[in-house]
Amino acid sequence: MAGPLPSSVLFCCDHNSVRSPMAEGIMKKFYGQDIFVQSVGVHGDREIDGFSIAVCGEIGVEIERHRARSFDEMEEWGDDLSGFDLIIAMSPASLRRAQELTRYYHLDVEYWPVLDPTGLGETRADKLSAYRQTRDQIVGRLVERFGPPHLVGDVK
């Protein structure tokens, strides 16, 4: 059931290179710049995944400039988790880390189990299919949680 849009959302996953940057980019595209949206990982040790860039590009979401960062880096850069209205974790490890870091804050942490497509598929076509499945899961969860997109530009 769709609820009101929060003013700020933080998406998190394991490495901030596949699921959470996809969710960040899609949310910005769907609901505009009125919402402050960022993403983070338990680890920030990878670059943005090329398959993620490709499947988001298919729906008009540009994420190639995304720079992966970890919860620790976020903290080092002075970003405070208490400034977010909602944290959406997409992996068990990111859920544990978000809950650990927010135990003294009054903010919502939701768990959206989203498929990790890394390592799935043998061929390029199979890999793209797995990444599309992940993208489409994210799209479905966003629409279910926040309602129909307030499209910023066209989504194909």
Side-chain angles (χ1 to χ4, degrees):
M1 181 170 190
L5 283 173
S7 61
S8 57
V9 176
L10 179 68
F11 290 99
C12 54
C13 65
D14 293 343
H15 296 277
N16 193 222
S17 64
V18 178
R19 292 169 287 180
S20 57
M22 289 171 77
E24 176 185 355
I26 294 167
M27 181 139 192
K28 286 176 179 176
K29 179 78 170 184
F30 279 15
Y31 305 105
Q33 300 299 322
D34 292 338
I35 300 174
F36 181 70
V37 183
Q38 286 193 326
S39 63
V40 68
V42 175
H43 311 282
D45 56 347
R46 296 184 184 167
E47 294 298 317
I48 183 75
D49 186 285
F51 288 109
S52 294
I53 293 169
V55 300
C56 282
E58 292 173 352
I59 62 167
V61 174
E62 305 300 325
I63 62 171
E64 62 270 352
R65 289 190 301 252
H66 177 79
R67 295 292 166 253
R69 66 182 185 155
S70 67
F71 279 106
D72 291 341
E73 289 168 324
M74 184 178 169
E75 196 172 44
E76 288 169 17
W77 298 344
D79 291 330
D80 188 355
L81 287 181
S82 66
F84 290 93
D85 294 330
L86 175 63
I87 297 176
I88 298 173
M90 302 179 142
S91 70
S94 65
L95 175 62
R96 282 190 300 276
R97 184 76 167 129
Q99 288 173 329
E100 172 188 310
L101 293 170
T102 62
R103 66 180 170 260
Y104 302 114
Y105 300 131
H106 293 292
L107 69 111
D108 293 327
V109 177
E110 292 181 11
Y111 178 50
W112 293 4
V114 173
L115 172 73
D116 179 358
T118 58
L120 298 179
E122 295 297 317
T123 66
R124 177 173 172 75
D126 291 343
K127 289 179 183 298
L128 283 169
S129 179
Y131 278 75
R132 286 182 189 114
Q133 185 178 350
T134 296
R135 177 201 64 203
D136 295 346
Q137 274 188 314
I138 292 167
V139 167
R141 291 303 299 252
L142 287 170
V143 171
E144 178 183 318
R145 176 66 169 83
F146 302 114
H150 316 148
L151 295 178
V152 179
D154 289 329
V155 172
K156 300 172 188 168

